[in-house]
């Protein structure tokens, strides 16, 4: 991305897209009973509340009535249908992990099989996006947390804490390629979760090889533990590599969420908040609901002079339901340099 003269002026930036992550599968309802919905009706209402507060993208997970994260695709279908009816303009983004919550205290935080995760392409009604992780990596989500972040929560249990400390993301090349193909065939946009510059570079190669032919919509995930650290240097290094047509949302965890989002707002990027990422206000004196976090970002962005994206603008910016016919078209529209014609393209071209 290029930052030319005036690029920090709000009139030269896109309206801000706020992604809400209100379902927080790593927490149990007792951790924040005022803000963790359990019944289907409450989960749908949470989407409505986030939308009314200013969020236009909903990062969606589902809970069972016992409060645990659901791994049943039928429950995802039910929630997607309910959200579609209640807030039809909201962009629905299904978390591609489905739910990585441990099955029981002390159990490993395991992801579902590859075949089951591929079934996200068969959700009905179909979501607008599914998050796609690229490259297997450590996902120690608790690495940069302070002990005070977990006081009074289920994470104080050493067995639960260790389950999240030891979590990994399985995203091998074969699975990624097949997953993208199935999502695209179903008309679902791949929202790439990039944990560092390496995973982004792999996404670019997928585009250059014609495996992914669509808008480049992605999250920079800065939560440490195998992913980038939430600081200016990591962000600048990542942003510098992106083409001008990319749509980038910044994401962090705990009390790093707000400062990273403030950087994103100032730079013309997009933001994500919610209890999946952070439970606290910035002084850690009380828990902060997803809706309160959204309203805070709306206020800050407006004080910057940057308007909040309408649902129509968010869909246009993300180019929802848009796919391209070739690698060349995908590269051009996203702002990449073209593939070289002829000659040795190294690993960018498959052997016949």
């Amino acid at each position: 991305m290029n930052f030319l003269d005036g690029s920090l002026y709000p009139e030269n930036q896109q309206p801000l897209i706020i992604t809400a992550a209100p379902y927080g599968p790593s927490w149990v309802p007792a951790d924040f009973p005022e803000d963790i919905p359990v019944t289907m009706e409450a989960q749908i209402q949470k989407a409505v509340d986030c939308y009314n507060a200013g969020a236009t993208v909903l990062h969606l997970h589902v809970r069972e009535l016992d409060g645990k994260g659901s791994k049943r695709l039928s429950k995802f279908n039910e929630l997607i249908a309910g959200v579609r009816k209640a807030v039809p303009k909201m962009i629905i983004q299904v978390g591609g992990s489905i739910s990585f919550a441990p099955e029981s205290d002390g159990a490993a935080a395991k992801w579902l099989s590859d075949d089951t995760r591929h079934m996200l392409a068969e959700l009905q009604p179909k979501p607008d996006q599914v998050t796609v992780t690229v490259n297997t990596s450590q996902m120690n989500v608790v690495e940069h947390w302070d002990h005070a972040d977990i006081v009074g929560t289920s994470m104080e249990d050493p067995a639960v804490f260790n389950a999240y400390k030891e979590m990994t993301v399985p995203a091998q090349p074969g699975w990624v390629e097949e997953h993208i193909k199935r999502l695209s065939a179903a008309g679902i946009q791949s929202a790439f979760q990039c944990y560092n510059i390496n995973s982004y570079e792999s996404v670019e190669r997928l585009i250059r090889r014609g495996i992914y032919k669509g808008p480049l919509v992605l999250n920079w995930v800065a939560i440490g533990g195998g992913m980038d650290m939430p600081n200016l240097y990591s962000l600048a290094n990542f942003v510098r590599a992106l083409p001008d047509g990319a749509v980038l949302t910044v994401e962090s965890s705990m009390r790093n969420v707000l400062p990273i989002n403030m950087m994103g707002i100032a730079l013309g990027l997009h933001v994500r908040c919610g209890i999946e990422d952070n439970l606290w206000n910035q002084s850690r004196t009380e828990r902060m609901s997803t809706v309160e976090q959204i309203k805070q970002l709306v206020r800050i962005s407006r004080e910057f002079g940057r308007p909040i994206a309408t649902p129509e603008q968010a869909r246009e910016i993300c180019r929802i339901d848009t796919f391209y016919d070739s690698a060349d078209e995908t590269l051009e529209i996203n702002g990449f340099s073209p593939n070289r014609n002829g000659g040795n393209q190294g690993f960018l071209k498959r052997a016949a």
Side-chain angles (χ1 to χ4, degrees), residues 34 44 56 85 98 100 104 113 143-144 204 206 217 230 236 238 298 308 320 346:
E34 302 86 352
I44 294 169
T56 47
K85 182 178 180 181
I98 303 184
F100 45 75
S104 59
S113 70
E143 185 178 69
H144 74 189
E204 180 177 347
L206 291 167
V217 178
F238 189 86
V298 168
I308 307 302
I320 298 296

Side-chain angles (χ1 to χ4, degrees), residues 13-26:
Q13 298 177 339
Q14 294 173 333
L16 179 69
I17 298 173
I18 299 175
T19 297
Y23 299 115
S26 57

